[in-house]
Amino acid sequence: MAATHPTHAPSAKGHTAKQNWAEGLMVFAAVTLMLAGVLDIFRGIMGIAEDDVFLSTRNYVFAFDLTGWGWIHLALGAVAVIVSMGLFQSATWARVAGVAIAGLIVIANFLSLPYYPVWSVVMIAFSGFIIWALCVVKPDRSAD
């Protein structure tokens, strides 16, 4: 009776462990960007509908009307959700757009830090992980 042992060869699709890791990071980035986008949409709706949820800070250098911040976050969230759908398809344009939109989310949350401080820091961290995941993944050139 012969015993069979699993080999460390690439899977049936020809993927290596490195490619599987890259695909996992892409899915991580897509899910995280989708989550950040949805949460930014909710934050935008809160800013547009109910201004009393947020702190009011006097003499802030980047002072905008809270309704204005609401529209900014709503737009960024909607674009983030659309880009995340492209990331699920592993589209190159979505990787570039994902880094750009995550960067804009970082900037918007930094500028609105006095209005909702803890949540802004959480969203900055989320966006940092998104940028990291999208920048560390190298496209598979062997499939071409």
Side-chain angles (χ1 to χ4, degrees):
M1 185 150 49
T4 59
H5 299 287
T7 62
H8 296 289
S11 67
K13 289 184 177 180
H15 287 173
T16 63
K18 211 176 221 186
Q19 289 168 325
N20 290 336
W21 177 254
E23 287 176 5
L25 278 176
M26 187 69 71
V27 171
F28 168 79
V31 169
T32 309
L33 187 61
M34 174 80 72
L35 183 60
V38 168
L39 293 174
D40 229 16
I41 288 171
F42 288 147
R43 183 176 179 177
I45 292 170
M46 286 181 352
I48 294 167
E50 292 288 329
D51 288 356
D52 59 344
V53 173
F54 298 95
L55 298 173
S56 59
T57 305
R58 286 193 221 156
N59 301 325
Y60 183 52
V61 176
F62 303 108
F64 284 109
D65 178 35
L66 286 175
T67 304
W69 277 119
W71 283 108
I72 290 170
H73 285 287
L74 183 66
L76 286 174
V79 172
V81 168
I82 292 167
V83 169
S84 70
M85 290 179 195
L87 286 173
F88 282 115
Q89 302 299 318
S90 298
T92 303
W93 67 266
R95 287 183 62 199
V96 173
V99 171
I101 197 69
L104 290 174
I105 290 173
V106 167
I107 292 168
N109 280 287
F110 175 75
L111 294 177
S112 63
L113 197 61
Y115 300 110
Y116 215 36
V118 175
W119 190 247
S120 292
V121 170
V122 168
M123 290 301 288
I124 289 169
F126 258 50
S127 299
F129 283 123
I130 293 165
I131 292 170
W132 169 77
L134 291 175
C135 289
V136 78
V137 174
K138 293 184 175 93
D140 181 26
R141 301 279 186 215
S142 63
D144 295 339

